[in-house]
Amino acid sequence: MPNDESLRNYGAHRKALELFDLVVADLTPLAKEPALQRLVSQQFASTDSVASNIEEGFGRGSRPVPFHFHSPSHFHSSSHFSMIITRSPLRVSLGGGGTDLPSYYREFGGFVVAAAIDKYVYITKHRTFQPEIIIKYSKLERVRSVNQIEHPIIREALMLVGITDPHIELTSMADIPGGTGLGSSGSFTTALLKALHAHKKNIVSPAELAEQACDIELNKLGEPIGKQDQYIAAVGGITAFTFHPDGRVEYRPCAVSEETLFNLEDNLLLFFTGYSRSASAILKDQNDRSKRSDPAMLDHLHFTKELGRQSLAALESSRLEEFARLMDVHWQRKKTRSSGMSNAPINDWYDHAMAHGALGGKLIGAGGGGFLMFYAGDKTKLRHAMREKGLQEVRFRFDFEGSKVVAQN
């Protein structure tokens, strides 16, 4: 790929820079006149598109950000921001996972403790020059209207926020891919809604953002999933959630001391199993059995909810070895929930970790793959042991910001 130096020596690119700077200089005085600001914005966008296309054609993909072109703030249209970047954190569940599904909490109430981590899903929104909607994720979509969009969450989010203008480009990126048990779908939906609301200059609370994400995924798309992912992504922190039978969700930050927080960050270790899976496929079994009032499933979820409350008590009283023990109890019980919850390699890795420095652990998320999380008594020994097994560690810290706008111009 071409580098920055070869791009600087590219004659057409130098001319593009000169054109760009010339137009900026000419338009700056005009931008002070309110009646001309819309025209100025359109002229600037046209020049930026021409100059950027020259750069892109030469090899813009060789760098993560544009080389030179940027938008002076006084050229923006008063109606919308031209570029918006948002992010939502991924999460690890610390207790009670599975009781946040409507099929359970509408009858018995649910309780979950979850923590947002500094691994993110990002959404960028940009205004297109031509009248088209461009969607970039694992696929590329170019359509003329919202109802033509194939991606169901993006289509429903645009409709929910009321965006119909065919001049929008949306791109998603993630620090960790989906299907790994860290709640990426909820993070994606909240980050997307945050970007679209910023585009419309709407002010929404974290709770509103989470409920809108839940409405899209659970109600409009009928996914057999719970609500913790959307809420922890929107709220952030280490948070306790209570899911009431009438649909209300109450939450509060866990009263964890600073020393306990540091110990958790130092001693909670994440290892990728190499397996990805669909949470919906595994949760559908739980959902169906809960709707049928299957005694074994309900007994398991009652037990899980109580473990979640005990885990919160252990965290808030700084009894981290007890918290680790409860993680192990939870995992040993969770494995019996369904045949797809674990497999021989995962069981072997878990046992190996417990014999080499882990005090307790579990598979994060619905099960079947993703990440193993352990609380380590001897983290150096545990890291070496898991490295010998070929598992990749992902180090993390907690996120206390939740869904947010990272940049806009």
Side-chain angles (χ1 to χ4, degrees):
M1 296 294 291
N3 55 34
D4 285 347
E5 186 60 32
S6 61
L7 185 59
R8 292 189 187 95
N9 295 329
Y10 181 48
H13 183 258
R14 291 200 306 273
K15 293 297 183 183
L17 296 180
E18 293 171 8
L19 170 64
F20 185 90
D21 292 337
L22 179 63
V23 171
V24 169
D26 285 348
L27 292 180
T28 297
L30 298 180
K32 298 176 182 178
E33 298 293 329
L36 296 177
Q37 284 184 353
R38 184 173 180 82
L39 175 63
V40 167
S41 179
Q42 291 172 342
Q43 291 294 312
F44 178 81
S46 298
T47 308
D48 179 57
S49 179
V50 171
S52 294
N53 284 340
I54 291 173
E55 179 181 344
E56 185 173 1
F58 184 77
R60 183 174 178 173
S62 64
R63 294 177 314 285
V65 296
F67 170 75
H68 175 83
F69 309 114
H70 57 89
S71 175
S73 60
H74 54 270
F75 286 147
H76 297 314
S77 165
S78 60
S79 59
H80 298 296
F81 296 112
S82 62
M83 172 68 79
I84 297 168
I85 303 174
T86 59
R87 77 181 190 195
S88 284
L90 299 173
R91 64 98 182 99
V92 292
S93 180
L94 302 180
T99 68
D100 58 319
L101 271 70
S103 56
Y104 178 79
Y105 73 70
R106 283 177 181 162
E107 185 71 24
F108 305 101
F111 181 81
V112 171
V113 181
I117 64 174
D118 62 349
K119 299 293 177 281
Y120 301 98
V121 174
Y122 297 87
I123 297 290
T124 64
K125 171 266 161 192
H126 185 259
R127 180 175 175 81
T128 60
F129 181 67
Q130 296 293 336
E132 64 177 339
I133 300 172
I134 303 173
I135 311 293
K136 298 176 181 177
Y137 49 108
S138 57
K139 293 175 58 178
L140 171 64
E141 295 189 48
R142 288 179 178 268
V143 297
R144 291 287 182 174
S145 65
V146 171
N147 58 15
Q148 294 176 321
I149 296 173
E150 293 181 9
H151 194 295
I153 294 177
I154 295 176
R155 182 183 64 247
E156 294 296 333
L158 286 165
M159 293 173 65
L160 185 149
V161 179
I163 295 176
T164 58
D165 178 28
H167 289 85
I168 191 168
E169 178 179 346
L170 295 168
T171 304
S172 69
M173 295 163 282
D175 291 331
I176 297 174
T180 51
L182 301 182
S184 59
S185 179
S187 300
F188 172 84
T189 309
T190 52
L192 173 62
L193 287 168
K194 189 73 173 178
L196 298 181
H197 282 301
H199 171 73
K200 296 279 284 186
K201 299 184 180 177
N202 297 334
I203 297 176
V204 292
S205 69
E208 290 175 307
L209 194 69
E211 270 305 312
Q212 289 180 359
C214 290
D215 182 51
I216 289 173
E217 294 194 76
L218 279 71
N219 299 332
K220 290 184 168 59
L221 300 180
E223 293 290 342
I225 59 176
K227 286 188 171 184
Q228 70 155 311
D229 296 350
Q230 298 84 357
Y231 268 87
I232 190 60
V235 173
I238 304 175
T239 308
F241 298 94
T242 300
F243 303 93
H244 293 282
D246 63 3
R248 290 180 299 113
V249 180
E250 293 182 1
Y251 59 88
R252 69 170 180 85
C254 299
V256 176
S257 70
E258 185 175 51
E259 181 181 0
T260 298
L261 174 65
F262 291 155
N263 284 333
L264 281 172
E265 289 188 327
D266 286 343
N267 297 314
L268 277 178
L269 308 185
L270 275 178
F271 298 96
F272 184 48
T273 64
Y275 295 102
S276 298
R277 82 292 176 272
S278 168
S280 296
I282 294 174
L283 290 174
K284 186 178 185 303
D285 175 64
Q286 174 189 323
N287 195 52
D288 292 344
R289 291 170 63 186
S290 295
K291 287 180 177 179
R292 297 195 307 267
S293 297
D294 177 274
M297 179 58 69
L298 293 182
D299 179 64
H300 172 84
L301 292 173
H302 294 334
F303 181 78
T304 299
K305 182 167 61 177
E306 178 57 29
L307 281 182
R309 293 194 175 107
Q310 292 180 28
S311 296
L312 175 63
L315 289 171
E316 294 189 328
S317 59
S318 301
R319 293 179 293 120
L320 293 182
E321 290 191 5
E322 171 65 7
F323 169 72
R325 186 190 71 81
L326 291 170
M327 286 175 63
D328 179 63
V329 171
H330 174 77
W331 172 239
Q332 299 303 333
R333 184 70 174 261
K334 185 176 180 178
K335 285 193 299 183
T336 67
R337 187 189 301 178
S338 71
S339 59
M341 192 61 61
S342 187
N343 57 40
I346 290 175
N347 291 338
D348 176 64
W349 294 326
Y350 186 90
D351 293 341
H352 188 70
M354 292 295 289
H356 292 83
L359 300 180
K362 63 179 180 177
L363 199 64
I364 295 295
F371 282 86
L372 282 164
M373 182 174 74
F374 298 100
Y375 187 84
D378 186 337
K379 57 190 176 185
T380 300
K381 183 178 181 181
L382 178 58
R383 284 189 170 115
H384 287 165
M386 301 311 281
R387 192 177 300 123
E388 289 174 356
K389 289 287 187 177
L391 271 65
Q392 176 186 354
E393 181 186 2
V394 174
R395 301 198 183 197
F396 69 92
R397 291 288 182 259
F398 296 119
D399 170 278
F400 291 90
E401 296 181 304
S403 301
K404 64 176 289 186
V405 175
V406 177
Q408 59 187 19
N409 64 15

